[in-house]
């Protein structure tokens, strides 16, 4: 059974109504991204940062997976599929996919400010003063700018063993995630689905790159249909 590794970014969630940090203006839901997605921002105003992620979690629980999420789940009928997502929502899970690496963390998980080695289910708001078992303040289990990306090697391995790679709704500009295509075996087919594709260095060096300049819901449907037809 062939292995497809799928790299997804903000574009696939945007069609479900989730506004995600992506553009060059450095804003995320009208907040400076360094204020809400960095250790320094949390130190300056932990209450504001906690509130920001509480709002994102509440928003996420109100939206639903879209046609692209459901289409990707169909691939598991004929392929071994691993999804590596930069998104912190659970839309892939709710869309039916079973093997997902959350590169930048998950809104439905929390952890102590003292350690990133253990996380906890988190379905409700985190408030200032809420403590983990080690006594540290709870925070969203999200990888902030300047923090290590614990799952980057698992993601790189998933790309390395892939027979086919799909890149969906990602600007391919934020490293280390943007460099993952560089781990692919030589000449592994890469299909990049995005209405505004930004081909980076790692993609340009791949001789089997195919660009589908469409939004996720239509582009993914097209490619999934093709992949299932060749089986």
């Amino acid at each position: 059974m062939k292995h497809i590794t799928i790299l997804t970014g903000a574009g696939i969630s945007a069609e479900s109504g989730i506004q995600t940090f992506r553009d060059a203006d450095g804003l995320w839901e009208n907040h400076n991204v360094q204020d809400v997605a960095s250790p320094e921002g949390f130190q300056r105003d932990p209450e504001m940062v906690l509130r920001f992620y509480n709002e994102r979690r509440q928003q996420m629980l109100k939206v639903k997976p879209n046609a692209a999420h459901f289409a990707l789940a169909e691939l598991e009928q004929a392929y071994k599929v691993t999804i590596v997502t930069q998104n912190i929502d659970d839309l892939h899970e709710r869309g039916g996919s079973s093997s997902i690496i959350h590169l930048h963390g998950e809104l439905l998980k929390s952890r102590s400010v003292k350690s990133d080695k253990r996380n906890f289910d988190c379905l409700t708001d985190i408030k200032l003063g809420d403590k983990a078992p080690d006594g540290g303040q709870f925070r969203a289990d999200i990888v902030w700018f300047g923090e290590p990306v614990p799952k980057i090697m698992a993601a790189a391995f998933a790309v390395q063993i892939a027979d086919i790679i799909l890149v969906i709704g990602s600007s391919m500009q934020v490293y280390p995630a943007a460099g993952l295509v560089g781990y692919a075996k030589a000449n592994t087919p890469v299909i990049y689905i995005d209405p505004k594709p930004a081909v980076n260095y790692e993609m340009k060096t791949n001789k089997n790159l195919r660009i589908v300049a469409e939004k996720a819901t239509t582009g993914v449907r097209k490619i999934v249909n093709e992949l299932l037809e060749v089986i």
Side-chain angles (χ1 to χ4, degrees):
M1 183 178 286
K2 287 190 174 181
H3 190 155
I4 298 179
T5 294
I6 304 168
L7 310 179
T8 67
I12 195 169
S13 292
E15 290 191 71
S16 287
I18 293 181
Q19 295 182 16
T20 317
F21 170 66
R22 180 178 185 179
D23 298 318
D25 59 8
L27 298 180
W28 183 2
E29 292 281 359
N30 297 316
H31 291 268
N32 185 300
V33 71
Q34 290 296 331
D35 290 337
V36 296
S38 72
E40 296 78 16
F42 187 76
Q43 290 174 357
R44 284 194 300 270
D45 195 342
E47 194 165 13
M48 184 271 287
V49 175
L50 291 174
R51 184 171 62 251
F52 177 82
Y53 288 100
N54 289 340
E55 291 170 355
R56 305 286 74 71
R57 191 180 303 105
Q58 292 164 9
Q59 178 195 36
M60 184 193 75
L61 293 171
K62 293 176 182 176
V63 302
K64 297 179 180 179
N66 60 55
H69 296 104
F70 291 120
L72 292 180
E74 292 177 29
L75 288 173
E76 295 188 17
Q77 300 169 13
Y79 297 88
K80 178 176 173 58
V81 178
T82 302
I83 294 177
V84 178
T85 186
Q86 295 171 261
N87 300 330
I88 58 177
D89 57 63
D90 67 340
L91 295 178
H92 283 301
E93 286 88 344
R94 284 194 270 155
S97 295
S98 60
S99 179
I100 299 136
I101 297 171
H102 281 273
L103 205 57
H104 294 158
E106 300 178 66
L107 272 174
L108 294 182
K109 301 288 183 182
S110 63
R111 71 170 178 87
S112 169
V113 296
K114 292 184 176 182
S115 173
D116 63 357
K117 304 303 182 187
R118 182 184 178 192
N119 61 29
F120 305 84
D121 291 338
C122 180
L123 298 176
T124 58
D125 289 355
I126 302 173
K127 299 180 178 64
L128 198 61
D130 289 347
K131 299 294 179 66
D134 65 2
Q137 167 69 43
F138 268 127
R139 52 165 275 193
D141 189 18
I142 304 299
V143 177
W144 288 333
F145 288 97
E147 293 184 327
V149 183
K151 295 185 178 180
I152 190 65
M153 292 314 298
F157 180 72
V159 172
Q160 194 173 37
I161 64 173
D163 298 298
I164 302 168
I165 297 169
L166 306 185
V167 180
I168 304 165
S170 174
S171 64
M172 297 305 292
Q173 302 301 311
V174 179
Y175 286 80
L180 284 171
V181 173
Y183 288 92
K185 297 188 296 286
N187 300 322
T188 301
V190 175
I191 304 171
Y192 183 18
I193 304 168
D194 195 282
K196 297 179 180 179
V199 178
N200 64 12
Y201 172 79
E202 288 79 9
M203 284 186 165
K204 287 178 182 176
T205 59
N206 186 289
K207 295 179 180 178
N208 279 341
L209 174 65
R210 174 184 173 187
I211 296 174
V212 180
E214 297 184 27
K215 62 183 182 180
T217 48
T218 57
V220 170
R221 181 74 269 167
K222 178 186 295 185
I223 296 303
V224 167
N225 287 347
E226 290 181 13
L227 290 170
L228 292 178
E229 283 174 7
V230 300
I231 296 300

Coordinates of all heavy atoms in Angstrom, one line a residue, residues 37-114:
A37 N 1.7 34.9 20.5 CA 2.3 33.6 20.1 C 3.8 33.6 20.3 O 4.6 33.1 19.5 CB 2.0 33.3 18.6
S38 N 4.2 34.1 21.5 CA 5.6 34.0 21.9 C 5.7 34.0 23.4 O 4.8 34.5 24.1 CB 6.4 35.3 21.4 OG 6.0 36.4 22.1
P39 N 6.8 33.4 23.9 CA 6.9 33.3 25.4 C 7.0 34.7 26.0 O 6.5 35.0 27.1 CB 8.3 32.6 25.6 CG 8.4 31.8 24.3 CD 7.8 32.6 23.2
E40 N 7.6 35.6 25.3 CA 7.8 37.0 25.8 C 6.4 37.7 25.9 O 6.1 38.4 26.9 CB 8.7 37.8 24.8 CG 10.1 37.4 24.8 CD 10.3 36.1 23.9 OE1 9.4 35.8 23.1 OE2 11.3 35.5 24.0
G41 N 5.5 37.4 24.9 CA 4.2 38.0 25.0 C 3.4 37.5 26.2 O 2.7 38.2 26.8
F42 N 3.6 36.2 26.4 CA 2.9 35.6 27.6 C 3.4 36.1 28.9 O 2.6 36.4 29.8 CB 3.1 34.0 27.6 CG 2.3 33.3 28.6 CD1 0.9 33.1 28.4 CD2 2.9 32.8 29.8 CE1 0.2 32.5 29.4 CE2 2.1 32.2 30.7 CZ 0.8 32.0 30.5
Q43 N 4.7 36.4 29.0 CA 5.3 37.0 30.2 C 4.7 38.4 30.4 O 4.5 38.8 31.6 CB 6.8 37.0 30.1 CG 7.4 35.6 30.2 CD 8.9 35.6 30.0 OE1 9.5 36.7 29.7 NE2 9.6 34.5 30.1
R44 N 4.6 39.1 29.3 CA 4.1 40.5 29.5 C 2.6 40.6 29.9 O 2.3 41.4 30.8 CB 4.3 41.3 28.1 CG 5.7 41.7 27.8 CD 5.7 42.7 26.7 NE 5.1 42.1 25.4 CZ 5.8 41.5 24.5 NH1 7.1 41.3 24.7 NH2 5.2 41.1 23.4
D45 N 1.8 39.7 29.3 CA 0.4 39.8 29.6 C -0.3 38.4 29.5 O -1.0 38.1 28.5 CB -0.3 40.8 28.6 CG -1.7 41.2 29.0 OD1 -2.3 40.5 29.9 OD2 -2.2 42.2 28.5
P46 N 0.0 37.6 30.5 CA -0.5 36.2 30.4 C -2.1 36.1 30.3 O -2.6 35.3 29.6 CB 0.0 35.5 31.7 CG 0.3 36.7 32.6 CD 0.7 37.8 31.7
E47 N -2.7 37.0 31.0 CA -4.2 37.0 31.0 C -4.8 37.3 29.6 O -5.7 36.6 29.1 CB -4.8 38.0 32.0 CG -6.3 37.8 32.2 CD -6.7 38.6 33.5 OE1 -5.9 39.5 33.9 OE2 -7.8 38.3 34.0
M48 N -4.1 38.2 28.9 CA -4.6 38.5 27.5 C -4.3 37.3 26.6 O -5.2 36.9 25.7 CB -3.9 39.7 26.9 CG -4.3 40.2 25.6 SD -3.4 39.4 24.2 CE -1.8 40.3 24.3
V49 N -3.2 36.7 26.7 CA -2.8 35.5 25.9 C -3.8 34.3 26.2 O -4.2 33.7 25.2 CB -1.3 35.1 26.1 CG1 -1.0 33.8 25.3 CG2 -0.4 36.2 25.6
L50 N -4.0 34.1 27.4 CA -5.0 33.0 27.8 C -6.3 33.3 27.2 O -7.0 32.4 26.6 CB -5.1 32.9 29.3 CG -3.9 32.3 30.0 CD1 -4.1 32.4 31.5 CD2 -3.5 30.9 29.6
R51 N -6.8 34.5 27.3 CA -8.1 34.9 26.7 C -8.1 34.7 25.2 O -9.1 34.2 24.6 CB -8.4 36.4 27.1 CG -9.8 36.8 26.6 CD -10.2 38.2 27.1 NE -9.3 39.2 26.7 CZ -8.4 39.8 27.5 NH1 -8.3 39.5 28.8 NH2 -7.6 40.8 27.0
F52 N -7.0 35.1 24.5 CA -6.9 34.9 23.1 C -7.1 33.5 22.7 O -7.9 33.2 21.7 CB -5.5 35.4 22.6 CG -5.3 35.2 21.1 CD1 -5.8 36.1 20.2 CD2 -4.6 34.1 20.7 CE1 -5.6 35.9 18.9 CE2 -4.4 33.9 19.3 CZ -4.9 34.8 18.4
Y53 N -6.4 32.5 23.3 CA -6.6 31.1 23.0 C -7.9 30.5 23.4 O -8.5 29.6 22.8 CB -5.4 30.3 23.5 CG -4.2 30.6 22.7 CD1 -3.2 31.5 23.2 CD2 -4.0 30.1 21.4 CE1 -2.1 31.8 22.5 CE2 -2.8 30.4 20.7 CZ -1.9 31.2 21.2 OH -0.8 31.5 20.5
N54 N -8.5 31.1 24.5 CA -9.8 30.7 24.9 C -10.8 31.0 23.8 O -11.7 30.2 23.5 CB -10.2 31.3 26.2 CG -9.5 30.8 27.4 OD1 -8.9 29.7 27.4 ND2 -9.5 31.6 28.5
E55 N -10.7 32.2 23.2 CA -11.6 32.6 22.2 C -11.4 31.8 20.9 O -12.4 31.4 20.2 CB -11.3 34.1 21.8 CG -11.8 35.1 22.9 CD -11.3 36.5 22.7 OE1 -10.5 36.7 21.7 OE2 -11.7 37.4 23.5
R56 N -10.1 31.4 20.6 CA -9.9 30.6 19.4 C -10.5 29.2 19.6 O -11.1 28.6 18.7 CB -8.4 30.4 19.2 CG -7.6 31.7 19.0 CD -7.7 32.4 17.7 NE -9.0 33.0 17.6 CZ -9.3 34.2 18.3 NH1 -8.5 34.7 19.1 NH2 -10.5 34.8 18.1
R57 N -10.4 28.7 20.9 CA -11.0 27.4 21.2 C -12.5 27.4 21.0 O -13.1 26.5 20.5 CB -10.6 26.9 22.6 CG -10.9 25.5 22.9 CD -10.4 25.1 24.3 NE -9.0 25.4 24.5 CZ -8.5 26.4 25.2 NH1 -9.3 27.3 25.8 NH2 -7.2 26.5 25.3
Q58 N -13.1 28.4 21.6 CA -14.6 28.6 21.5 C -15.0 28.7 20.0 O -16.0 28.1 19.6 CB -15.0 29.8 22.3 CG -14.9 29.7 23.8 CD -14.9 31.0 24.5 OE1 -15.3 32.1 23.9 NE2 -14.6 31.1 25.8
Q59 N -14.3 29.4 19.2 CA -14.6 29.6 17.8 C -14.4 28.2 17.1 O -15.3 27.8 16.3 CB -13.6 30.6 17.2 CG -13.8 30.7 15.6 CD -12.7 31.4 15.0 OE1 -11.5 31.2 15.4 NE2 -13.0 32.3 14.0
M60 N -13.4 27.5 17.4 CA -13.1 26.2 16.7 C -14.3 25.2 17.0 O -14.7 24.5 16.1 CB -11.8 25.6 17.2 CG -11.4 24.3 16.6 SD -10.1 23.5 17.4 CE -10.9 22.8 18.8
L61 N -14.8 25.2 18.2 CA -15.8 24.3 18.6 C -17.2 24.6 17.9 O -18.1 23.7 17.8 CB -16.0 24.2 20.1 CG -14.8 23.7 20.9 CD1 -15.0 23.9 22.4 CD2 -14.6 22.2 20.6
K62 N -17.3 25.8 17.3 CA -18.5 26.1 16.6 C -18.4 25.9 15.1 O -19.5 25.9 14.4 CB -18.8 27.6 16.8 CG -19.1 28.0 18.2 CD -19.3 29.5 18.4 CE -19.5 29.9 19.9 NZ -19.6 31.4 20.0
V63 N -17.3 25.6 14.5 CA -17.2 25.4 13.1 C -17.1 23.9 12.8 O -16.9 23.1 13.7 CB -15.9 26.1 12.5 CG1 -16.0 27.6 12.8 CG2 -14.6 25.5 13.1
K64 N -17.2 23.6 11.5 CA -17.2 22.2 11.1 C -16.2 21.9 10.0 O -15.8 22.8 9.3 CB -18.6 21.8 10.6 CG -19.7 22.0 11.6 CD -21.1 21.6 11.0 CE -22.2 21.7 12.1 NZ -23.6 21.4 11.5
P65 N -15.8 20.7 9.9 CA -14.9 20.3 8.8 C -15.6 20.6 7.5 O -16.8 20.6 7.4 CB -14.7 18.8 9.0 CG -15.1 18.5 10.4 CD -16.1 19.5 10.8
N66 N -14.7 20.9 6.5 CA -15.3 21.2 5.2 C -15.0 20.1 4.2 O -14.4 19.0 4.6 CB -14.7 22.6 4.6 CG -13.2 22.6 4.5 OD1 -12.6 21.7 3.8 ND2 -12.6 23.5 5.1
A67 N -15.4 20.3 3.0 CA -15.3 19.2 2.0 C -13.9 18.7 1.8 O -13.6 17.5 1.5 CB -15.9 19.7 0.6
A68 N -12.9 19.6 2.0 CA -11.5 19.1 1.8 C -11.1 18.2 2.9 O -10.4 17.2 2.7 CB -10.6 20.4 1.8
H69 N -11.5 18.4 4.2 CA -11.2 17.5 5.3 C -11.8 16.1 5.0 O -11.1 15.1 5.2 CB -11.7 18.1 6.6 CG -11.1 19.4 7.0 ND1 -11.7 20.6 6.9 CD2 -9.9 19.6 7.6 CE1 -11.0 21.5 7.4 NE2 -9.8 21.0 7.8
F70 N -13.1 16.1 4.6 CA -13.7 14.9 4.4 C -13.1 14.1 3.2 O -13.0 12.9 3.2 CB -15.2 15.1 4.1 CG -16.0 15.5 5.3 CD1 -16.7 16.8 5.3 CD2 -16.0 14.8 6.5 CE1 -17.4 17.2 6.4 CE2 -16.7 15.2 7.6 CZ -17.4 16.4 7.6
A71 N -12.7 14.8 2.2 CA -12.1 14.2 1.0 C -10.8 13.5 1.3 O -10.5 12.4 0.9 CB -11.9 15.2 -0.1
L72 N -10.0 14.2 2.2 CA -8.7 13.6 2.6 C -8.9 12.3 3.3 O -8.1 11.4 3.2 CB -7.9 14.6 3.4 CG -7.4 15.8 2.7 CD1 -6.6 16.7 3.7 CD2 -6.5 15.5 1.5
A73 N -9.9 12.2 4.1 CA -10.2 11.0 4.9 C -10.5 9.8 3.9 O -10.2 8.7 4.2 CB -11.4 11.2 5.8
E74 N -11.1 10.1 2.8 CA -11.4 9.1 1.8 C -10.2 8.4 1.3 O -10.2 7.2 0.9 CB -12.2 9.7 0.6 CG -13.6 10.2 0.9 CD -14.2 10.8 -0.3 OE1 -13.9 10.4 -1.4 OE2 -15.1 11.7 -0.1
L75 N -9.0 9.1 1.3 CA -7.8 8.4 0.8 C -7.4 7.2 1.6 O -6.7 6.3 1.1 CB -6.7 9.5 0.8 CG -6.7 10.6 -0.2 CD1 -5.6 11.6 0.0 CD2 -6.6 10.0 -1.6
E76 N -7.9 7.1 2.8 CA -7.5 6.0 3.7 C -8.1 4.7 3.2 O -7.8 3.6 3.7 CB -7.9 6.3 5.1 CG -7.1 7.4 5.7 CD -7.3 7.6 7.2 OE1 -7.8 6.7 7.9 OE2 -7.0 8.7 7.8
Q77 N -9.1 4.8 2.3 CA -9.6 3.6 1.7 C -8.6 2.8 0.9 O -8.7 1.6 0.7 CB -10.8 4.0 0.8 CG -12.0 4.7 1.4 CD -13.0 5.2 0.4 OE1 -12.9 4.9 -0.7 NE2 -13.8 6.1 0.9
A78 N -7.6 3.5 0.3 CA -6.7 2.9 -0.6 C -5.2 3.2 -0.3 O -4.4 2.6 -1.0 CB -7.0 3.4 -2.0
Y79 N -4.9 4.1 0.6 CA -3.6 4.4 0.9 C -3.3 4.5 2.4 O -4.3 4.6 3.2 CB -3.2 5.8 0.3 CG -3.3 6.0 -1.2 CD1 -4.5 6.3 -1.8 CD2 -2.2 5.8 -2.0 CE1 -4.6 6.5 -3.1 CE2 -2.3 6.0 -3.3 CZ -3.5 6.3 -3.9 OH -3.6 6.5 -5.3
K80 N -2.0 4.3 2.8 CA -1.7 4.7 4.1 C -1.5 6.2 4.1 O -0.7 6.7 3.3 CB -0.4 4.0 4.5 CG 0.1 4.3 5.9 CD 1.4 3.5 6.3 CE 1.9 4.0 7.6 NZ 1.0 3.9 8.7
V81 N -2.1 6.9 5.0 CA -2.1 8.4 5.0 C -1.6 8.9 6.3 O -2.1 8.5 7.4 CB -3.5 8.9 4.7 CG1 -3.5 10.4 4.7 CG2 -4.0 8.4 3.4
T82 N -0.7 9.9 6.2 CA -0.3 10.6 7.4 C -0.4 12.1 7.1 O 0.0 12.6 6.0 CB 1.2 10.4 7.7 OG1 1.5 9.0 7.9 CG2 1.6 11.2 9.0
I83 N -1.2 12.8 8.0 CA -1.3 14.2 7.8 C -0.4 15.0 8.8 O -0.5 14.7 10.0 CB -2.8 14.6 8.0 CG1 -3.7 14.0 6.9 CG2 -3.0 16.2 8.1 CD1 -5.2 14.3 7.1
V84 N 0.4 15.9 8.3 CA 1.2 16.8 9.1 C 0.6 18.1 9.0 O 0.6 18.7 7.9 CB 2.6 16.8 8.6 CG1 3.4 17.8 9.5 CG2 3.2 15.4 8.7
T85 N 0.0 18.7 10.0 CA -0.7 19.9 9.9 C -0.1 21.0 10.8 O 0.4 20.8 11.9 CB -2.2 19.8 10.3 OG1 -2.9 21.0 10.0 CG2 -2.4 19.4 11.8
Q86 N 0.0 22.2 10.2 CA 0.4 23.4 11.0 C -0.7 24.0 11.8 O -0.5 24.9 12.6 CB 1.0 24.4 10.0 CG 2.2 24.0 9.3 CD 2.6 25.0 8.2 OE1 2.3 24.8 7.0 NE2 3.3 26.1 8.6
N87 N -1.9 23.5 11.5 CA -3.1 24.0 12.2 C -3.3 23.5 13.6 O -3.0 22.3 13.8 CB -4.4 23.8 11.3 CG -4.2 24.4 9.9 OD1 -3.6 25.4 9.7 ND2 -4.9 23.7 8.9
I88 N -3.9 24.3 14.4 CA -4.0 23.9 15.8 C -5.5 23.5 16.1 O -5.8 23.2 17.3 CB -3.6 25.0 16.8 CG1 -4.4 26.3 16.5 CG2 -2.1 25.3 16.6 CD1 -4.0 27.4 17.5
D89 N -6.3 23.4 15.1 CA -7.7 22.9 15.3 C -7.8 21.4 15.2 O -6.8 20.7 14.9 CB -8.6 23.6 14.3 CG -8.2 23.3 12.8 OD1 -8.2 22.1 12.4 OD2 -7.8 24.3 12.1
D90 N -9.0 20.9 15.4 CA -9.2 19.4 15.3 C -10.1 19.0 14.1 O -10.7 18.0 14.1 CB -9.9 18.9 16.6 CG -11.3 19.4 16.7 OD1 -11.7 20.4 16.1 OD2 -12.1 18.8 17.5
L91 N -10.0 19.8 13.0 CA -10.9 19.6 11.9 C -10.5 18.3 11.1 O -11.4 17.7 10.5 CB -11.0 20.8 11.0 CG -11.6 22.1 11.7 CD1 -11.6 23.3 10.7 CD2 -13.1 21.8 12.1
H92 N -9.3 18.0 11.1 CA -8.9 16.8 10.4 C -9.5 15.6 11.1 O -10.0 14.6 10.5 CB -7.4 16.7 10.3 CG -6.7 17.5 9.2 ND1 -7.1 17.4 7.9 CD2 -5.8 18.5 9.3 CE1 -6.4 18.2 7.2 NE2 -5.6 18.9 8.0
E93 N -9.4 15.6 12.4 CA -9.9 14.5 13.2 C -11.4 14.4 13.0 O -11.9 13.3 12.8 CB -9.6 14.7 14.7 CG -8.2 14.4 15.1 CD -7.3 15.7 15.0 OE1 -7.7 16.6 14.3 OE2 -6.2 15.7 15.6
R94 N -12.1 15.5 13.1 CA -13.6 15.4 12.9 C -13.9 15.1 11.4 O -15.1 14.7 11.2 CB -14.2 16.8 13.3 CG -14.2 16.9 14.8 CD -15.2 18.1 15.2 NE -14.4 19.3 15.3 CZ -15.0 20.5 15.2 NH1 -16.3 20.6 14.8 NH2 -14.3 21.6 15.3
G95 N -13.0 15.4 10.5 CA -13.3 15.0 9.1 C -13.1 13.6 8.8 O -13.4 13.1 7.7
G96 N -12.5 12.8 9.8 CA -12.4 11.4 9.6 C -11.0 10.8 9.4 O -10.8 9.6 9.3
S97 N -10.0 11.7 9.4 CA -8.6 11.2 9.2 C -8.2 10.6 10.5 O -8.5 11.1 11.6 CB -7.7 12.3 8.7 OG -8.1 12.8 7.4
S98 N -7.3 9.6 10.4 CA -6.9 8.9 11.7 C -5.5 9.1 12.1 O -5.2 8.7 13.2 CB -7.2 7.4 11.5 OG -6.5 6.9 10.4
S99 N -4.6 9.5 11.2 CA -3.2 9.7 11.6 C -2.7 11.1 11.3 O -2.5 11.5 10.2 CB -2.3 8.7 10.8 OG -1.0 8.8 11.1
I100 N -2.7 11.9 12.4 CA -2.4 13.3 12.3 C -1.3 13.7 13.2 O -1.3 13.4 14.4 CB -3.6 14.1 12.6 CG1 -4.8 13.8 11.6 CG2 -3.4 15.6 12.5 CD1 -6.1 13.6 12.3
I101 N -0.3 14.4 12.7 CA 0.8 15.0 13.5 C 0.5 16.5 13.5 O 0.5 17.2 12.5 CB 2.2 14.8 12.8 CG1 2.5 13.3 12.8 CG2 3.3 15.5 13.6 CD1 3.7 12.9 12.0
H102 N 0.3 17.0 14.7 CA 0.0 18.4 14.9 C 1.4 19.1 15.2 O 1.8 19.1 16.4 CB -1.0 18.7 16.1 CG -2.4 18.4 15.7 ND1 -3.2 19.4 15.2 CD2 -3.2 17.3 15.8 CE1 -4.4 18.9 15.0 NE2 -4.4 17.7 15.3
L103 N 1.9 19.7 14.2 CA 3.3 20.3 14.3 C 3.3 21.4 15.3 O 4.3 21.6 16.0 CB 3.7 20.7 12.9 CG 5.2 20.8 12.6 CD1 5.9 19.4 12.8 CD2 5.4 21.3 11.2
H104 N 2.3 22.2 15.3 CA 2.3 23.4 16.1 C 1.4 23.3 17.4 O 1.1 24.4 18.0 CB 1.9 24.7 15.3 CG 2.9 25.0 14.2 ND1 2.6 25.7 13.1 CD2 4.3 24.6 14.1 CE1 3.7 25.8 12.4 NE2 4.7 25.2 12.9
G105 N 1.0 22.1 17.8 CA 0.2 21.9 19.0 C -1.2 21.9 18.7 O -1.7 21.9 17.5
E106 N -2.0 21.8 19.8 CA -3.5 21.7 19.6 C -4.2 22.5 20.6 O -3.8 22.6 21.8 CB -3.9 20.2 19.9 CG -3.2 19.2 19.0 CD -3.6 17.8 19.3 OE1 -4.8 17.4 19.2 OE2 -2.7 17.0 19.7
L107 N -5.3 23.2 20.1 CA -6.1 24.0 21.0 C -6.8 23.2 22.1 O -7.1 23.7 23.2 CB -7.1 24.8 20.2 CG -6.7 26.1 19.6 CD1 -7.9 26.6 18.7 CD2 -6.4 27.1 20.7
L108 N -7.1 21.9 21.8 CA -7.8 21.1 22.8 C -6.8 20.4 23.7 O -7.2 19.4 24.4 CB -8.6 20.0 22.0 CG -9.8 20.6 21.2 CD1 -10.6 19.5 20.6 CD2 -10.7 21.5 22.1
K109 N -5.6 20.9 23.8 CA -4.6 20.4 24.8 C -4.1 21.6 25.6 O -3.9 22.7 25.1 CB -3.5 19.6 24.1 CG -3.9 18.4 23.3 CD -4.4 17.3 24.1 CE -4.7 16.1 23.3 NZ -5.2 14.9 24.1
S110 N -3.7 21.3 26.8 CA -3.0 22.3 27.6 C -1.8 21.7 28.2 O -1.6 20.5 28.2 CB -4.0 22.8 28.8 OG -4.3 21.8 29.6
R111 N -0.9 22.6 28.7 CA 0.3 22.1 29.4 C 0.7 23.1 30.4 O 0.3 24.3 30.4 CB 1.4 21.8 28.4 CG 2.0 23.0 27.8 CD 3.3 22.5 27.0 NE 4.0 23.6 26.3 CZ 4.9 24.4 26.8 NH1 5.2 24.3 28.1 NH2 5.6 25.2 26.1
S112 N 1.7 22.7 31.3 CA 2.2 23.6 32.3 C 3.3 24.5 31.6 O 3.9 24.1 30.6 CB 2.9 22.8 33.4 OG 3.7 23.7 34.2
V113 N 3.4 25.7 32.1 CA 4.4 26.6 31.6 C 5.8 26.1 32.0 O 6.8 26.5 31.4 CB 4.3 28.1 32.2 CG1 3.0 28.7 31.7 CG2 4.4 28.1 33.7
K114 N 5.9 25.1 32.9 CA 7.1 24.6 33.4 C 7.7 23.5 32.5 O 8.9 23.2 32.6 CB 7.0 24.1 34.8 CG 6.8 25.2 35.9 CD 6.8 24.6 37.3 CE 6.6 25.6 38.3 NZ 6.6 25.0 39.7

